[in-house]
Amino acid sequence: MSHPPSDSPQHRIFAMLDVDGDGAITYAEYLARVDRVASALKRDAHHPVVTAARAAHEAVFADMDADQDGRVTFEEYRTWVGHEAFERSCRPALGSLFDIADSDADGRLDRDEFIRLRTAAGNAGTGVAAAFDALDSDGDGLIDRDAYLAGIKTFVTDGSSPMAAAYGSDRPALGTRS
């Protein structure tokens, strides 16, 4: 099995999602993201935004798990990831995590909400604050939902984005696919 360079967006995201590092993302690992984010943002597990996030993540996992064995290998993930997968299933799932973090439901995150979301989602690197600053293009101390999702999409699909700092690199990645 061939792996892309370790600094590729796909490799970094896969490694973040493969919490136990065993080479596969399990259903439990993937769905635990929702619970971690809900807990970090003090949302009740039965709150409608948490329920919606869980459903969106279940759909993403089913979409990624090509052989439906309950485990997503790197090869499955690499084959799956890209523009179409992002629009089809990642956008709703990542948007649902944003919604959990958006405590006042105004469609924007402040620095604290952003950092708690990214940390709970597995992006606790020192680049989280830099990613916030890069996404806060107007300097108002807030990031809107569309800018957040656009930043992640750009990182996932071509490796260059303000979100790169939140994934452990502030430079475009090598060997990316679109």
Side-chain angles (χ1 to χ4, degrees), residues 5-22:
S6 64
D7 68 341
S8 77
Q10 292 86 8
H11 187 268
R12 281 182 273 162
I13 293 170
F14 184 86
M16 175 194 67
L17 296 172
D18 178 15
V19 176
D20 64 9
D22 70 351

Side-chain angles (χ1 to χ4, degrees), residues 40-106:
L41 280 297
K42 299 180 181 5
R43 291 282 194 164
D44 182 88
H46 302 292
H47 190 283
V49 297
V50 176
T51 301
R54 198 169 290 111
H57 280 72
E58 288 170 353
V60 170
F61 190 85
D63 201 29
M64 284 191 300
D65 188 9
D67 62 7
Q68 301 299 300
D69 69 350
R71 295 170 43 88
V72 176
T73 64
F74 180 76
E75 293 302 323
E76 283 175 300
Y77 177 77
R78 188 177 64 169
T79 299
W80 169 83
V81 75
H83 292 282
E84 289 178 29
F86 189 90
E87 292 303 322
R88 180 178 61 246
S89 57
C90 289
R91 179 177 294 280
L94 294 169
S96 70
L97 292 179
F98 183 99
D99 296 342
I100 291 171
D102 184 10
S103 60
D104 60 4
D106 69 350

Side-chain angles (χ1 to χ4, degrees), residues 20-171:
D20 64 9
D22 70 351
I25 304 163
T26 65
Y27 179 83
E29 283 173 319
Y30 194 71
L31 270 287
R33 287 171 46 106
V34 175
D35 297 328
R36 286 192 312 269
V37 170
S39 177
L41 280 297
K42 299 180 181 5
R43 291 282 194 164
D44 182 88
H46 302 292
H47 190 283
V49 297
V50 176
T51 301
R54 198 169 290 111
H57 280 72
E58 288 170 353
V60 170
F61 190 85
D63 201 29
M64 284 191 300
D65 188 9
D67 62 7
Q68 301 299 300
D69 69 350
R71 295 170 43 88
V72 176
T73 64
F74 180 76
E75 293 302 323
E76 283 175 300
Y77 177 77
R78 188 177 64 169
T79 299
W80 169 83
V81 75
H83 292 282
E84 289 178 29
F86 189 90
E87 292 303 322
R88 180 178 61 246
S89 57
C90 289
R91 179 177 294 280
L94 294 169
S96 70
L97 292 179
F98 183 99
D99 296 342
I100 291 171
D102 184 10
S103 60
D104 60 4
D106 69 350
R108 303 177 301 173
L109 299 181
D110 64 26
R111 180 179 295 275
D112 180 59
E113 289 169 327
F114 178 83
I115 290 172
R116 290 189 317 172
L117 165 61
R118 299 311 304 158
T119 300
N123 302 110
T126 57
V128 174
F132 180 89
D133 293 339
L135 288 171
D136 181 17
S137 59
D138 62 5
D140 68 353
L142 300 167
I143 297 171
D144 74 39
R145 192 176 197 271
D146 290 338
Y148 176 77
L149 293 172
I152 295 174
K153 179 181 180 182
T154 302
F155 178 73
V156 168
T157 57
D158 71 19
S160 62
S161 165
M163 290 301 295
Y167 287 99
S169 173
D170 58 1
R171 59 184 161 69

